[in-house]
Amino acid sequence: MPVSQTRVESLPHAIFLQRVSGNASPTSLEARLGQGAFLALRLVDLLAPGREPVSPDAFHYQCVATDRFCRELRGTSPEGAHVHGTTTSAADAYRLGDVRQVVPALLAYAHFLEDELRLDEALDVLATLLEVGGERLAASDAVAARLRIARVSRKLNRFDEAEAAYAEAGELAAARGDRYSELLSRIGRANTVLGRGNLAEAERSLRAILADARAADLHDAEARAEHGIGATAFYRGQPDEAVPRAFYRGHPDEAVPRFWRAFELYEEEDSRLRALNDLGVTLLMLGDATGAEHALSEVVHRGGNQDNLTNALIELMHCASYRRDRVGFARWRERCEARVADMPPNILADFYLKQGIGQARFGQYRRAEALMEEALRVATAAGLHESEFRIERIKNGLRECEQALRVEPAVPAEPVFDTAELREVSASLARLVG
């Protein structure tokens, strides 16, 4: 099973104890939350099948000690409430002899950790759910857990693990006639193919899924397929360079209506904001900085999960440098830097790259090159090959750009694409932000 690879070797749940061994004080809230999560999950482990039965007295002793520690965390933060909720759910599951009692708490905690970009910790919680639940899990929970494992693995660029978990989820969903989850599995696999860089195959799969979702009248699956097709159009139009030039090259205009359609179809807020974020990125790529800032500012205004919010802040920094707005660039950069510790590798590499692009736009080429070197280091360490190639290409163009700007300073260009569809989306965004 692919989820076995997500567990930290040596001590189970040791990933949470890294918070204690980090820079934070052992008595800080962050360290105590890590300890609480470790203790709560060790309590859940006692519910696993195939292990020596735990006597009621032994379980009671461990449960009381864990609850005493975690109860103090309950009112400190949202995560504290999740940690304590996991403890009480484990106690209920043992008392009732029904491991399914702990499933909602584990799924909710994993979702929280994913939103906070604590992706390895989220995988640990989800792996615990499957290991403890085993064959006793409800079929819907078994499918949901695998879909989430696949998505988190994909975010970490662990594509083999993601594909295996998506395949497992799809097989289970098909066996129980769950058409929606089966479509989610297919969409996830197509997005994994996209993540590997095979745009043509990803688009072919997503168009077929879109037709099936429409035929089944499943609007959320339709939204996800539209979103994925928009992503393939966006990546087909990726510019060869992102240094201070007159304008980005490429033709990703098809992505704009796709992302907007996904935004309209989604019912869940985080998904809507993800589509809005991608729309903003694409509009900037097309030269519509005003539309891009409308979309991205709305993402920041609404909040949502940390992944969406961090990406939006990075892109607003990118918008500011595109406009040659030094003050705005510095302001958004500071907000991004406050989140660096929690950025996964793909987002961290993007931050350093776009910060480097901004410095180049302001003529700070040495600083730009150093930042791009850091972006390349992060991408290489994480095995982000597509990002490596793009960063190297941009970095190699810095000197040429510097020489060109000595002759004629670059200024942001007007949007190249001016179709009725794009104007309609821009007008809709202006109405959205009021």
Side-chain angles (χ1 to χ4, degrees):
M1 182 180 294
V3 297
S4 64
Q5 299 175 25
T6 68
R7 300 306 301 271
V8 177
E9 299 297 333
S10 67
L11 184 65
H13 319 302
I15 185 71
F16 291 94
L17 295 182
Q18 290 180 10
R19 302 195 199 182
V20 182
S21 60
N23 295 327
S25 164
T27 59
S28 68
L29 176 59
E30 189 64 28
R32 289 189 293 124
L33 286 169
Q35 291 172 308
F38 172 80
L39 293 171
L41 292 169
R42 291 294 287 161
L43 183 67
V44 172
D45 287 342
L46 298 180
L47 305 172
R51 60 173 295 145
E52 288 294 323
V54 180
S55 71
D57 286 344
F59 185 90
H60 176 74
Y61 174 80
Q62 186 167 336
C63 183
V64 168
T66 302
D67 183 74
R68 184 181 301 117
F69 186 92
C70 295
R71 185 179 294 274
E72 296 179 359
L73 300 172
R74 182 175 55 184
T76 61
S77 64
E79 183 174 7
H82 281 292
V83 169
H84 185 252
T86 299
T87 302
T88 58
S89 295
D92 291 340
Y94 184 83
R95 177 173 53 84
L96 298 172
D98 183 2
V99 74
R100 291 173 296 181
Q101 296 293 320
V102 79
V103 169
L106 290 174
L107 282 174
Y109 188 28
H111 193 170
F112 170 84
L113 291 169
E114 181 186 347
D115 285 349
E116 294 296 309
L117 300 183
R118 294 187 174 277
L119 302 180
D120 284 309
E121 292 180 358
L123 284 177
D124 185 277
V125 174
L126 291 164
T128 300
L129 189 159
L130 290 186
E131 290 171 9
V132 169
E135 299 298 324
R136 299 174 293 177
L137 284 178
S140 58
D141 291 331
V143 171
R146 284 171 172 82
L147 285 173
R148 191 164 291 278
I149 284 171
R151 187 171 74 176
V152 177
S153 296
R154 181 162 55 84
K155 287 183 177 181
L156 286 166
N157 300 294
R158 298 173 186 170
F159 295 127
D160 289 343
E161 294 176 34
E163 285 177 344
Y166 276 129
E168 287 183 5
E171 291 170 6
L172 290 173
R176 64 188 298 264
D178 183 350
R179 184 64 171 148
Y180 172 67
S181 294
E182 189 180 359
L183 285 171
L184 290 186
S185 168
R186 290 173 59 194
I187 291 167
R189 278 178 281 175
N191 285 332
T192 303
V193 171
L194 175 62
R196 291 187 185 274
N198 190 341
L199 305 185
E201 177 61 22
E203 183 175 4
R204 185 197 65 75
S205 298
L206 287 163
R207 288 186 182 276
I209 294 165
L210 178 60
D212 291 345
R214 285 176 176 169
D217 199 29
L218 293 169
H219 295 304
D220 183 76
E222 182 182 349
R224 293 175 189 276
E226 289 277 18
H227 199 158
I229 294 170
T232 64
F234 172 83
Y235 287 119
R236 280 202 313 272
Q238 277 287 294
D240 291 330
E241 298 175 281
V243 290
R245 294 279 186 178
F247 180 62
Y248 286 128
R249 295 205 297 261
H251 300 276
D253 51 313
E254 183 191 347
V256 170
R258 295 285 186 180
F259 289 144
W260 182 254
R261 177 65 175 154
F263 173 75
E264 292 182 312
L265 284 168
Y266 279 129
E267 295 181 2
E268 195 247 334
E269 181 69 359
D270 282 343
S271 295
R272 300 188 82 214
L273 294 180
R274 187 163 48 86
L276 203 57
N277 187 89
D278 289 345
L279 176 60
V281 173
T282 308
L283 286 171
L284 181 62
M285 188 175 174
L286 293 169
D288 183 1
T290 300
E293 287 177 341
H294 282 157
L296 297 165
S297 296
E298 185 67 11
V299 174
V300 173
H301 173 71
R302 296 193 188 192
N305 71 47
Q306 296 304 306
D307 198 344
N308 284 337
L309 184 54
T310 300
N311 277 318
L313 291 170
I314 292 170
E315 294 304 330
L316 283 165
M317 178 188 74
H318 201 39
C319 282
S321 71
Y322 179 88
R323 288 183 179 278
R324 308 305 192 268
D325 175 5
R326 289 179 180 269
V327 174
F329 176 76
R331 176 164 55 91
W332 292 118
R333 184 190 63 207
E334 286 180 6
R335 291 190 63 176
C336 292
E337 285 175 342
R339 311 170 75 85
V340 161
D342 294 324
M343 291 182 187
N346 59 323
I347 295 179
L348 184 60
D350 191 50
F351 169 55
Y352 286 131
L353 172 63
K354 287 175 178 170
Q355 190 184 166
I357 291 169
Q359 295 292 354
R361 283 171 170 161
F362 296 122
Q364 304 297 317
Y365 291 99
R366 288 186 179 178
R367 178 62 177 152
E369 188 170 9
L371 286 163
M372 290 181 191
E373 284 284 0
E374 185 64 13
L376 186 60
R377 184 193 64 78
V378 172
T380 301
L384 305 175
H385 302 306
E386 185 179 350
S387 293
E388 284 183 84
F389 298 145
R390 182 167 181 246
I391 294 164
E392 285 182 334
R393 188 168 61 243
I394 294 168
K395 179 174 171 290
N396 291 338
L398 277 176
R399 293 305 172 191
E400 177 189 346
C401 175
E402 182 179 7
Q403 292 170 3
L405 285 183
R406 287 174 181 169
V407 178
E408 183 178 355
V411 294
E414 292 300 315
V416 168
F417 297 101
D418 188 23
T419 66
E421 257 186 337
L422 295 181
R423 288 196 299 272
E424 182 180 345
V425 171
S426 291
S428 298
L429 279 170
R431 289 192 295 271
L432 180 67
V433 301

